[in-house]
Amino acid sequence: MATASIAWKNLVRERTRLAISVGGVAFAVVLILLIRGLYVGFTTQATAYVRSVNADIWVANAGTPGDFFHSVSLQRPDVGTQLATIPGVARVTPFVGRPVVFSHDGRDVDLYLVGVDSANPIAAPNTDRSGQSPRAGEIIVDRVFARNNNIEPGDVLRIQGVDLRVSDVASGGNAIVSQFAWANLRDVDRILGQGGLINYFLINTGPGAEPAAVTQSIQTAVPATKSMTKAHFAELNTQDIAEGVLPIIWVLVLIGFVIGTLVIGLTIYTATLEKRREYGVLKAIGFSNRALYGIVWRQSLASAVLGLAVGIALTLGLGVLLEQLLPAFVTSFSARDIGLVGIAALAMAVVSSFVPIRPVARLDPAQVFRV
């Protein structure tokens, strides 16, 4: 109890130094937690649309990587007829979609244009008109795309020479690197100029049929295709993101950890050197090295805990602010992430406490009596 009281008094006595120490940890926490939150939000948004489509299996052309933005899948319509005959397949719906670039308000913009089949609009987005297919000459755009480009319902977008009136704004179509938009299947086929070719076939399985088993049946019966369950297709759409972004995230997390550790270590080390006389007195009256280490450790721990609390509060506030300023970026924080950052802050306190231990251990109690 005495060592805890001494440690706290040492910290609050130098408030500027305490603020620097807490600020360093808070910066590290913000960096680690915000980067992690952006990554989770990024990967979640990238597959939000795929997960919202009410299809059990996605069928692409054989040899394609299988993700939306890095592969091109073109299949003849008669492939859908073959798929419909496979046991376990209840319904086959054509899916036509591809990135397009067009001019709007004097600048080039891009989106991933999806054709919705009016006979089975399972590829339609979630809107107030959910379940309805865009009519001929209409387009539904994602809310992030609409906000970024000042687009409102009633506006007309001219895409590859075809005029489409914005009938609604949807959510769930923000894939970060691009946004989805939805139009009538015939309009999209005309815009993309694919001559009736289909990018994907969406499969709904029948009662009692296992999607994984039906996927294997499709691969056997129609070898020119690549059949993927919804979960596998969503995973493929995040795989490139994870491979490209994760190494950068780990580097930034390491940088944050090192910064937090150094700031705590240096501030406690400086405070320890300035109080060599006080530590010498404590050692002279019977305090063991272990007790003195306890003072140093408690100071490091207090700085880490205070920095953690400030950092979490700042991160949550910055997450909200970022989404307001940059709607394409979405943060997602979980209790697990906060717990992991808490463990990181504790590790900072442990590692940084070793920095000032050496001068404490080498103190000669007789020094305090020298004139």
Side-chain angles (χ1 to χ4, degrees):
M1 184 63 68
T3 56
S5 176
I6 294 172
W8 180 249
K9 288 178 181 178
N10 283 346
L11 276 177
V12 298
R13 190 179 302 167
E14 296 290 342
R15 295 184 180 180
T16 301
R17 185 179 289 121
L18 174 62
I20 294 173
S21 180
V22 170
V25 178
F27 174 79
V29 169
V30 169
L31 181 61
I32 295 172
L33 195 55
L34 192 60
I35 291 296
R36 170 66 183 173
L38 284 171
Y39 172 73
V40 174
F42 191 93
T43 53
T44 300
Q45 285 293 308
T47 59
Y49 173 63
V50 172
R51 289 182 280 106
S52 72
V53 175
N54 186 26
D56 300 310
I57 299 171
W58 291 69
V59 180
N61 189 41
T64 61
D67 62 290
F68 274 126
F69 300 102
H70 299 91
S71 63
V72 177
S73 171
L74 295 173
Q75 305 173 86
R76 299 190 312 275
D78 61 351
V79 173
T81 305
Q82 299 177 54
L83 294 172
T85 64
I86 296 173
V89 174
R91 176 178 289 187
V92 180
T93 305
F95 179 97
V96 175
R98 209 173 67 199
V100 294
V101 179
F102 61 98
S103 179
H104 177 72
D105 283 346
R107 63 189 184 90
D108 288 340
V109 296
D110 66 275
L111 49 74
Y112 194 101
L113 185 61
V114 174
V116 181
D117 186 5
S118 57
N120 185 29
I122 63 174
N126 295 318
T127 68
D128 293 337
R129 298 170 51 204
S130 182
Q132 295 187 25
S133 171
R135 301 181 181 90
E138 291 184 347
I139 186 171
I140 300 173
V141 298
D142 177 74
R143 66 176 183 84
V144 172
F145 179 83
R147 180 174 173 178
N148 287 344
N149 296 283
N150 298 316
I151 293 173
E152 298 179 353
D155 291 349
V156 176
L157 304 181
R158 188 171 184 82
I159 305 175
Q160 307 295 344
V162 177
D163 290 333
L164 299 174
R165 183 182 63 85
V166 178
S167 61
D168 210 341
V169 175
S171 60
N174 174 30
I176 309 298
V177 294
S178 185
Q179 286 80 44
F180 288 92
W182 302 264
N184 184 270
L185 182 59
R186 292 187 177 181
D187 286 337
V188 173
D189 186 61
R190 188 155 54 104
I191 290 171
L192 299 182
Q194 296 186 173
L197 293 176
I198 308 300
N199 296 109
Y200 299 91
F201 288 100
L202 307 179
I203 306 293
N204 291 103
T205 57
E210 289 292 334
V214 176
T215 298
Q216 293 298 321
S217 298
I218 292 173
Q219 291 293 152
T220 303
V222 192
T225 62
K226 179 174 184 174
S227 181
M228 301 158 284
T229 62
K230 180 194 288 191
H232 185 206
F233 188 59
E235 181 183 348
L236 289 173
N237 275 273
T238 58
Q239 187 173 339
D240 282 343
I241 297 172
E243 291 176 353
V245 175
L246 267 181
I248 300 173
I249 287 178
W250 282 117
V251 169
L252 293 175
V253 167
L254 180 61
I255 291 173
F257 181 83
V258 171
I259 289 174
T261 302
L262 288 177
V263 170
I264 298 177
L266 289 175
T267 52
I268 302 301
Y269 178 76
T270 304
T272 302
L273 291 181
E274 290 181 357
K275 293 179 173 59
R276 287 173 62 90
R277 184 177 181 83
E278 286 86 344
Y279 280 109
V281 170
L282 292 175
K283 208 167 186 180
I285 63 177
F287 273 67
S288 64
N289 279 338
R290 183 174 181 180
L292 297 180
Y293 296 162
I295 295 174
V296 173
W297 151 246
R298 285 176 172 83
Q299 290 180 87
S300 298
L301 180 61
S303 298
V305 171
L306 290 173
L308 176 65
V310 173
I312 290 174
L314 286 174
T315 303
L316 296 177
L318 282 173
V320 174
L321 181 62
L322 274 176
E323 290 185 30
Q324 293 295 322
L325 298 177
L326 302 168
F329 290 88
V330 178
T331 54
S332 178
F333 305 108
S334 66
R336 178 176 177 272
D337 294 331
I338 294 175
L340 290 175
V341 172
I343 294 173
L346 180 62
M348 291 179 202
V350 172
V351 175
S352 62
S353 65
F354 284 100
V355 177
I357 278 179
R358 187 176 180 183
V360 170
R362 298 177 65 180
L363 272 175
D364 181 2
Q367 289 180 342
V368 302
F369 301 111
R370 294 175 184 172
V371 178

